[in-house]
Structure formats: structure tokens, C-alpha cells
Amino acid sequence: MPEKSNKLFKYLRTLLMVSILVCIDQLIKIIILNNFMNEKFYFIDKFIGFEPIINTKYSYINSLGNFGIGLAAHIITVIAAMLISIIIYIFISETYNITLFGEYIFIFLFSGSFCSFIDKVIWGGSLDYILVEGFFTFDLKDVYISIFEILIISCVIFNYKGLRRFDEKKFFRELKGFIKEKLTPKH
């Protein structure tokens, strides 16, 4: 029984942290939208500054490549990525006993993904406001996703928990079995 309550505590802690990070992102956007949409100023020598814009290209890749991928495709992609991430999180939590560091990886992934979903559905794009002059403008959600990416890359570089010995085939076989056992209806 204590193991079950420990897992529940981990899930609730993750959910609480994600909720806090999402609320911070959205609160900042609401404040900017209502008070600072026409402002522009610099923090660091006309290089890093503040300039809010609504990015209706929906993603960095779409903006960079000017692919013209629409809103519906982006929403479907974000929903699919969130569902896959949640399944993998639950699988790792139950199969490999996820560490606190591992939880933080997923917290930043879930926070960034959920903020991205909200941006697309509620805002019709992303309210970006941190300007890197001559390059791009981004928001806190992008910082969450970047932290997730840095943590994943750090795990590989520093061989966290023997990650370099990771057996992808075994992992996906176990994941498939987990999905079949836990997430598919029994007849």
C-alpha cells in the first residue's frame, strides 16, 4: 500500500508543478496582453529585450521554414505529443521507478506542451515577448521546452543512470506490453 500512495504522491506533485508553471506562463501573457502589447525595450545592449507579438505561425519549425502548416495540424500534433508523453511518463514511473530528476524532465515537457496547446486553442497563436534582436522572439513556454531539451541532452552526455546502455528495442517492447496490459480494453 505505501508504494501505491508514493506513486500517487509523485503524480500529484508532477501535476501541481505543471499547473504552477502553466499558470505562471498564462498569467504573464494576460498581463502583457492587457498592459504592454505596444511596448518595446531592451534589457541587454539592444540585443535582448521585450517586444510582444502574437506568433500565428504556431511553431518554431513552421516559422523558420515558412511551411504554412495550419492551426488544426498543430493542435493535433500537440495533443498527440502530450498523450504519448503521458503514456511514457506513466510507463517509466511504474516500470523503472522514475527519479525526482526524471520527474523534472517530464514536468518541463508537460508544462511546455500544455502551454503550447493553450496558446493555439485560446490565443490563436503564441504571445511571444522575449526578443533576441535579429533572431527570434519567444516566451516562457519556449524556455520550459528548452529546459526539457537541455535536461535530456545532459542525461545522454553525462550517462545518467547508465543511459548509454539503453536498449531501445527492449524499452519499446516493454512499452508495447504495458500499453496492451494497462491501457487497452479487456474483452
Side-chain angles (χ1 to χ4, degrees), residues 45-99:
D45 197 32
K46 294 203 178 208
F47 180 62
I48 296 179
F50 174 87
E51 182 179 32
I53 60 162
I54 301 284
N55 179 353
T56 55
K57 300 275 185 163
Y58 312 118
S59 69
Y60 178 74
I61 292 171
N62 201 34
S63 294
L64 188 65
N66 208 11
F67 295 118
I69 301 169
L71 179 59
H74 278 88
I75 290 173
I76 290 167
T77 302
V78 169
I79 290 171
M82 287 181 358
L83 289 174
I84 291 167
S85 300
I86 290 168
I87 290 168
I88 291 172
Y89 170 71
I90 293 169
F91 167 69
I92 291 173
S93 293
E94 293 192 8
T95 306
Y96 295 102
N97 195 18
I98 195 167
T99 64

Side-chain angles (χ1 to χ4, degrees), residues 1 13 76 92 124 145 180:
M1 192 67 164
R13 179 176 56 204
I76 290 167
I92 291 173
I145 292 169
K180 193 173 189 176

Side-chain angles (χ1 to χ4, degrees), residues 42-50 130-136:
Y42 290 93
F43 302 115
I44 301 173
D45 197 32
K46 294 203 178 208
F47 180 62
I48 296 179
F50 174 87
I130 303 168
L131 171 69
V132 179
E133 190 66 56
F135 293 100
F136 48 82

